[in-house]
Amino acid sequence: MAGDKQTGSGHSLISINSNSNNNSNNETTTATNAFSPPTTAPPSPQRKSSASKSPPQEFRILCFDLTFYNRTTQFLLSCAGVFILYIIYGYLQELIFTVEGFKPYGWFLTLVQFGYYIGFGLLERRLEAYSSNGGRLWSVEPAPRCIPLRTYFVLAALTLGTMGLSNSSLGYLNYPTQVIFKCCKLIPVLVGSILIQGKRYGPLDFAAALAMCIGLAWFTLADSQMTPNFNPLGVAMISGALLCDAAIGNVQEKAMREHKAPSSEVVFYSYGLGFVYLFVIMLLTGNFFSGFAFCLAHPWETFGYGFLFSLSGYLGIQFVLALVRSSGAPLAATVTTARKAVTIAFSFLLFSKPFTVQYIWSGLIVVLGIYLNVYSKRNKLTFTDLQHRFKQFSARISRSPSRKFLIEV
């Protein structure tokens, strides 16, 4: 889940960086035009060759520098990381909930996951400071915080809702149903970005959302008929997780655009404050002690699997961000969608569960919606363009000789 949630945030981060890069390029162009003389001599062949051989853009995955690999190699390595890590992530998440008696402790799993993410985020921030300033790894100070704490209080609450509700929903839903819901994150994101940021969308985006709604409803209906212990509470939980996910993506994008904050800072503070929230809530409700006692009785199945589960999700975020940097957000969305399809297939193969052909048809409708969403990123079709094309089509039909031909026949 984390991975899927953070994939959305990752897209927001990359779009911000690309916007800032475009702005910096525009500023550079403006400055060059301002100081260049009105008439210049044509550049010499030597200048052309030196200008064309600009240094490649830095490309890193974790601590590995892949800048001087070709684009195909970068793409294949990023895809391999996304598929391998998130398949492991999904397998471990479902495996944890197969432990006898663990289903009521989804919130405690979220607390454990947040704790691991705090450690991973702190380590990443120190590695960033170490690579920039040098010195000793554990004595170097991370970069100062960019985003105000009041914004992180909101982000932490939304992060807690996203991951806590998503993890807990597995106690009431099949894992494939949960993944299908995650695939339909566009629906609440579309509504949230309209309400929070005032964005406008075209007809393809709304058509994608409609296809996702139809496929999601069909898949859920099939799951309710095939699963004897189907509980609508699970649907409510994963729906709440998607709503929080939609809000967190828009809040993150707005905050990171305004304050130029790195992703490691957002991860560290969001999960750190979220851990404090959840720890206090579980202490007050008494659920912390029961969950801790259960995990102590099954340490490897909970803390051990939880560590691998959290590590694979955290590393998967880095590969998704790298994929977006190297190949763009639309292609990254296509890869992550294919990854989810493979995860669902592995879930049916590795864990026994009922199956019906309605899962396939409804899943294909959801994939159609995802394809329309990706296609809309490359082809900006507005309602005005659609209306203009419809008028052109109507005019062609009215001028067509088919009516006369039909009468003659």
Side-chain angles (χ1 to χ4, degrees), residues 145-157 259 265 268-270 272-273 277:
R145 175 173 45 83
C146 301
I147 299 177
L149 273 179
R150 62 178 180 272
T151 303
Y152 279 125
F153 287 140
V154 178
L155 284 175
H259 302 283
E265 175 193 315
F268 178 74
Y269 282 97
S270 298
L273 291 174
Y277 285 166

Side-chain angles (χ1 to χ4, degrees), residues 167-222:
N167 286 337
S168 300
S169 68
L170 276 180
Y172 307 93
L173 290 177
N174 276 336
Y175 183 76
T177 306
Q178 188 212 46
V179 175
I180 286 291
F181 268 88
K182 290 179 183 178
C183 291
C184 299
K185 189 174 69 174
L186 167 68
I187 302 170
V189 167
L190 185 144
V191 176
S193 57
I194 291 174
L195 297 177
I196 296 175
Q197 301 191 62
K199 287 186 176 181
R200 294 183 178 181
Y201 290 90
L204 288 176
D205 295 297
F206 287 101
L210 178 62
M212 289 181 182
C213 288
I214 295 173
L216 188 60
W218 193 1
F219 198 98
T220 307
L221 179 62

Side-chain angles (χ1 to χ4, degrees), residues 11 24 39 46 62 120 128 145 201 229 242 249 272 281 284 293 325 393:
H11 294 301
S24 62
T39 57
Q46 293 181 350
L62 300 173
F120 299 151
E128 289 177 352
R145 175 173 45 83
Y201 290 90
N229 58 347
L242 289 182
I281 293 172
L284 295 177
R325 282 195 297 268
F393 180 73

Side-chain angles (χ1 to χ4, degrees), residues 164-379:
L165 291 172
S166 179
N167 286 337
S168 300
S169 68
L170 276 180
Y172 307 93
L173 290 177
N174 276 336
Y175 183 76
T177 306
Q178 188 212 46
V179 175
I180 286 291
F181 268 88
K182 290 179 183 178
C183 291
C184 299
K185 189 174 69 174
L186 167 68
I187 302 170
V189 167
L190 185 144
V191 176
S193 57
I194 291 174
L195 297 177
I196 296 175
Q197 301 191 62
K199 287 186 176 181
R200 294 183 178 181
Y201 290 90
L204 288 176
D205 295 297
F206 287 101
L210 178 62
M212 289 181 182
C213 288
I214 295 173
L216 188 60
W218 193 1
F219 198 98
T220 307
L221 179 62
D223 193 39
S224 65
Q225 294 174 351
M226 295 298 298
T227 308
N229 58 347
F230 178 83
N231 194 328
L233 180 60
V235 176
M237 283 183 171
I238 192 63
S239 299
L242 289 182
L243 290 175
C244 293
D245 202 5
I248 194 174
N250 289 285
V251 174
Q252 275 184 350
E253 180 181 352
K254 186 177 180 181
M256 295 176 75
R257 183 176 62 244
E258 292 177 355
H259 302 283
K260 310 298 181 184
S263 59
S264 58
E265 175 193 315
V266 177
V267 170
F268 178 74
Y269 282 97
S270 298
Y271 288 101
L273 291 174
F275 179 88
V276 175
Y277 285 166
L278 185 55
F279 182 71
V280 172
I281 293 172
M282 295 191 72
L283 278 180
L284 295 177
T285 57
N287 293 327
F288 173 80
F289 300 102
S290 59
F292 188 67
F294 181 89
C295 291
L296 284 181
H298 307 81
W300 173 245
E301 293 85 352
T302 54
F303 293 118
Y305 289 166
F307 173 78
L308 299 175
F309 161 69
S310 304
L311 180 62
S312 59
Y314 195 90
L315 295 178
I317 296 171
Q318 311 304 321
F319 277 89
V320 170
L321 294 176
L323 182 61
V324 176
R325 282 195 297 268
S326 64
S327 304
L331 185 57
T334 304
V335 172
T336 53
T337 301
R339 188 275 306 171
K340 290 173 183 175
V342 174
T343 303
I344 292 176
F346 269 94
S347 177
F348 279 108
L349 290 174
L350 299 177
F351 299 94
S352 60
K353 53 176 62 70
F355 178 80
T356 176
V357 72
Q358 294 183 21
Y359 285 149
I360 297 178
W361 297 119
S362 55
L364 289 176
I365 296 176
V366 172
V367 171
L368 172 63
I370 296 172
Y371 171 77
L372 290 175
N373 181 35
V374 174
Y375 184 78
S376 67
K377 300 295 186 295
R378 299 181 178 179
N379 300 270

